[in-house]
Amino acid sequence: MKKTLTVIFVTILVLLPTIAGAIIHLTPNEIIQTPVNLSGTFLDEDGRGYEFNRNSNAFLASFFDDLDENSSPSLYTPENIKYDKKFIAEIVKKEKKQTLEFYLSILGNCYYKNENSELYRIDTAYANTLLNSQYVVSLYEEKYTPSLLSFSEQPILPQSVSLKYSPKNGTEPIVAHNIATSKDTRVYYSSNVSSFAFSVTPDLCFLKVYVNDVCRYDGYLYDFDPSVIKRSDTTVKYEIDATWMPTNANNCFGEAHYSFYISYAPAPSFTIESIKDEFLVVKAQNVRDPENILCTLSNGKNIETTFFKSNDNYYALIPIANVLDAGNHKLTFKCGETSKSLNVEITKPDFSVSSKVYTPKTPITAQMLNDMSSLLQSIGAQSSNDSIATGSFINYETQYAKYFTLTLGYGKVRSFTEGESLNMIGVEFSGLADMNIPAMNDGIVCAIGEDAILGKYVVVDHGYGLKSWYCNTSGASFEIGERVAKGDTVAKSGSSAVYDQTGFYLITTVNGIPVSPYAIYENNFTLPQ
C-alpha cells in the first residue's frame, strides 16, 4: 500500500509542471465560458423592429458582438452616402449603453455611425447577413411592396399583405405578414375608372365593386367593365385581391389585399363672375384642391392665384391691368386633368402727367419707390380666407364730398420740382387736418406703419386678397387685429406723405398688386359671400 501511494505521489510531482504550464497558456475566454451581457433594440425610423438579448435573439446579439471586427472607418458622412432606410440600435453591453445609427442599402453598401459621429462601413459580406434576415424586412417593404397607381398622386399601398421578399439570390426569402395601412383609403377622382395599374403586375387579380354595400361586380380585374358605375354613383368601394408567383422576375411574391373608395365628382369648372377695369373675379366649382389650381396665360406665363372658399364654391380675385399688357388675352385654368380657357380684354391706364408740379418735402429716389412697392407686396400678399366685407364699398367722391375733394386721380403722374415723379396708384383726397377717414367696408386692421413716400398708413383686410390702404394720415384709430365696420373712423387725415398736401391717399390692392379704387367704389362691387 505504501509503495502504491509513493508511486502516485511521484507521478503527480512529475506531471505538475506540465499541468501548470497548460493553465498558464489558456486565454481568458477559454477559462471563462460565459459571454458578457448584451441587450437592446433595433428599430427603423417608424419604430418597427425588435428587442433582443443574448438569450432571446442569438442572431442580433452575435451581429453586434462582432460588428467592430467587420467594419472599417469611412471618410464619408451620412449626407454623402446613398441608403434605402435608416435604423437605430440602442445597445447595452457590460452595463454600458450606446446608440448606433445604421444606414442600410439593399445593394449591400451599409454604414453605421457611433455616438462620436464617426462613420464606419460594414464589410459587404457581413452586411449581407443582416440584409438577408427578417430583422430588416421593412427595408424591402418600402422598396418592393406592390402598390396601386391608377387613382391618385400617392400610390395606394395594400391594406394587408402576406408576402415573401427575396433580397439576395440563393438565400431564403424573408417573410412579412399583415402590414396594415389605412383601413379607409378614400381617393377623389373626377372621371370613370379606365384602367388599373400596379407597380409590380400581379399574376392573378380579382376585383369586387360595391355601391351602397351592394356588389356590382365580382370577377377578374382585367375583365371589369367601367360602365357598371353609373353617373348617380357618388362613392364606390373597390376591393382587390392580387397574387404574385415566386418567379425570378419578382423581388417579392405572395398575396396582397387592397381596399379603398373612389368619390366621383363632376369635373371642375371655371367662370368669370365679373370683369372690372383692374381685376377679374373668377368662380371655381367642383374643386377639391384649390391650392393646385394653375392660371396660365397664352404666352405660357403663370399668374399667381389664391382661391378662397365660399359655401361650396371657390373664388379668386386676379389683378390684370398692372400685370398684363393691353389687349385680348386668354387665361387657362387647370385643376387636375381639367382645363378651361377664358378670354379677357385688358385696358391699361394711361398714367397721364398732371399739369401741376409739386415741391416734395424730400426728393423721391428710386430706392424709396422700390421700398414702397415691396411694402405693398409684402403686406398685400397676406389675406384672410374669409369674406369680411359685406355689401358695396363707400364712394368717397359722392358720399363724403362734403369733407373730402378728389385732388388727383388714379392713373395720373405727380411731377415734382426735384427727384423722381410718382405714378398715382391710388386716389388723393384733400381736406382739413384731423378729419375722420371712414373705412371703405368691413374688415380687420392688418398693418399700421409709416413709409417715406406714403407717410403714416393704416391697412384694412376685407378678405379674398382685397385690402384698402389709408395713407398720408396723422394716425390710426384702431389697433392691429381689431375689426372695423364700414364707415368706422379708421384714421385721421393729415399731411405725413412726401408731398405737402393735407387729406388722405387711398390705395386698394389685390394680392399685393395695386388696382384702381374706381373699379371698387364706382360699380357697386361686392365680394362673393
Side-chain angles (χ1 to χ4, degrees):
M1 182 66 179
K2 289 183 179 181
K3 184 177 180 181
T4 301
L5 293 173
T6 301
V7 172
I8 294 172
F9 180 72
V10 171
T11 302
I12 292 173
L13 290 177
V14 172
L15 295 176
L16 187 60
T18 302
I19 297 171
I23 294 174
I24 291 172
H25 286 88
L26 285 175
T27 64
N29 286 337
E30 289 173 319
I31 297 174
I32 304 173
Q33 297 296 327
T34 304
V36 297
N37 292 329
L38 188 147
S39 62
T41 58
F42 187 60
L43 309 174
D44 64 17
E45 291 182 288
D46 300 321
R48 297 173 54 191
Y50 296 85
E51 295 184 10
F52 67 91
N53 57 47
R54 198 174 294 282
N55 295 327
S56 67
N57 195 315
F59 173 85
L60 285 177
S62 174
F63 178 83
F64 289 112
D65 262 339
D66 301 329
L67 180 61
D68 292 342
E69 299 174 12
N70 291 278
S71 306
S72 56
S74 173
L75 297 178
Y76 291 114
T77 64
E79 293 74 25
N80 302 129
I81 60 177
K82 293 183 178 180
Y83 60 93
D84 296 308
K85 199 170 181 68
K86 181 179 175 182
F87 285 74
I88 307 294
E90 292 191 351
I91 304 167
V92 179
K93 187 175 183 180
K94 294 182 180 180
E95 299 184 354
K96 180 182 178 182
K97 184 177 179 179
Q98 60 176 325
T99 300
L100 305 178
E101 295 182 0
F102 284 79
Y103 305 90
L104 303 184
S105 168
I106 291 173
L107 300 178
N109 301 318
C110 300
Y111 298 80
Y112 74 89
K113 184 178 71 173
N114 62 20
E115 291 180 323
N116 297 324
S117 297
E118 298 167 334
L119 193 69
Y120 287 80
R121 188 183 189 279
I122 307 173
D123 296 346
T124 302
Y126 197 68
N128 283 340
T129 63
L130 181 64
L131 295 177
N132 292 334
S133 72
Q134 62 178 319
Y135 306 108
V136 292
V137 66
S138 63
L139 178 68
Y140 298 96
E141 291 167 5
E142 293 189 3
K143 195 78 173 179
Y144 295 130
T145 297
S147 58
L148 186 60
L149 307 175
S150 296
F151 307 108
S152 67
E153 294 181 1
Q154 297 297 323
I156 299 175
L157 293 173
Q159 187 180 35
S160 62
V161 299
S162 178
L163 297 173
K164 291 185 178 181
Y165 300 91
S166 300
K168 300 290 180 183
N169 292 330
T171 62
E172 187 68 23
I174 56 179
V175 183
H177 292 287
N178 297 323
I179 305 165
T181 58
S182 172
K183 292 185 178 181
D184 183 12
T185 304
R186 294 186 180 268
V187 182
Y188 300 107
Y189 199 65
S190 60
S191 62
N192 286 334
V193 176
S194 58
S195 64
F196 293 83
F198 291 83
S199 59
V200 181
T201 303
D203 298 290
L204 290 174
C205 204
F206 295 91
L207 168 68
K208 289 183 179 180
V209 178
Y210 295 89
V211 178
N212 297 327
D213 297 326
V214 176
C215 184
R216 288 272 185 89
Y217 179 81
D218 184 356
Y220 286 106
L221 174 73
Y222 300 109
D223 291 338
F224 173 62
D225 183 358
S227 65
V228 303
I229 306 300
K230 310 300 181 185
R231 286 184 176 274
S232 58
D233 298 330
T234 56
T235 303
V236 181
K237 181 181 181 181
Y238 291 82
E239 290 193 352
I240 297 176
D241 289 297
T243 301
W244 291 264
M245 300 300 185
T247 63
N248 291 333
N250 290 338
N251 292 104
C252 69
F253 54 91
E255 299 175 345
H257 176 75
Y258 302 81
S259 180
F260 58 95
Y261 294 82
I262 296 181
S263 294
Y264 295 93
S269 65
F270 299 91
T271 54
I272 296 178
E273 289 285 284
S274 60
I275 300 180
K276 300 299 176 184
D277 296 335
E278 300 287 314
F279 59 90
L280 305 178
V281 180
V282 179
K283 178 181 179 181
Q285 295 176 289
N286 307 318
V287 172
R288 296 186 184 276
D289 47 356
E291 65 279 358
N292 292 326
I293 296 175
L294 186 64
C295 179
T296 308
L297 296 177
S298 52
N299 61 8
K301 180 182 177 181
N302 293 333
I303 297 181
E304 268 192 49
T305 56
T306 302
F307 279 82
F308 299 99
K309 187 173 184 180
S310 176
N311 298 318
D312 294 329
N313 302 316
Y314 288 88
Y315 293 89
L317 273 58
I318 303 177
I320 50 175
N322 287 320
V323 176
L324 307 178
D325 294 329
N328 294 317
H329 292 269
K330 179 183 288 186
L331 273 65
T332 300
F333 295 89
K334 185 173 183 181
C335 182
E337 299 300 319
T338 301
S339 63
K340 176 68 179 290
S341 294
L342 303 174
N343 295 314
V344 295
E345 182 178 356
I346 308 299
T347 303
K348 299 284 286 186
D350 58 7
F351 283 107
S352 57
V353 179
S354 62
S355 57
K356 186 176 180 180
V357 178
Y358 296 81
T359 301
K361 296 176 182 176
T362 302
I364 297 177
T365 65
Q367 184 61 52
M368 291 166 64
L369 291 171
N370 288 335
D371 291 344
M372 181 185 70
S373 178
S374 297
L375 176 70
L376 293 171
Q377 180 61 38
S378 61
I379 295 177
Q382 305 171 15
S383 183
S384 169
N385 290 339
D386 300 320
S387 173
I388 306 171
T390 56
S392 60
F393 288 70
I394 285 179
N395 185 332
Y396 297 97
E397 295 182 52
T398 58
Q399 295 175 257
Y400 286 82
K402 180 179 178 180
Y403 307 101
F404 299 106
T405 302
L406 180 64
T407 307
L408 199 58
Y410 175 82
K412 300 294 183 180
V413 177
R414 182 187 285 276
S415 299
F416 295 98
T417 55
E418 55 180 327
E420 301 283 343
S421 58
L422 178 65
N423 287 351
M424 296 299 290
I425 54 174
V427 290
E428 179 186 281
F429 294 94
S430 62
L432 299 176
D434 292 324
M435 296 292 291
N436 295 337
I437 304 174
M440 291 184 78
N441 208 318
D442 302 344
I444 296 175
V445 176
C446 62
I448 298 173
E450 188 168 3
D451 175 72
I453 295 177
L454 302 176
K456 295 179 181 179
Y457 61 83
V458 180
V459 186
V460 176
D461 183 359
H462 301 291
Y464 288 102
L466 176 63
K467 291 184 174 65
S468 56
W469 297 62
Y470 307 87
C471 312
N472 193 30
T473 70
S474 61
S477 302
F478 285 83
E479 300 290 334
I480 292 178
E482 288 188 313
R483 195 177 187 98
V484 298
K486 180 166 66 174
D488 283 350
T489 300
V490 72
K492 298 281 189 177
S493 59
S495 57
S496 57
V498 70
Y499 46 84
D500 192 12
Q501 174 73 56
T502 303
F504 77 99
Y505 183 38
L506 174 68
I507 301 174
T508 50
T509 59
V510 171
N511 301 331
I513 297 175
V515 297
S516 171
Y518 302 148
I520 296 171
Y521 68 64
E522 286 186 349
N523 297 305
N524 291 319
F525 171 73
T526 60
L527 284 175
Q529 300 299 311

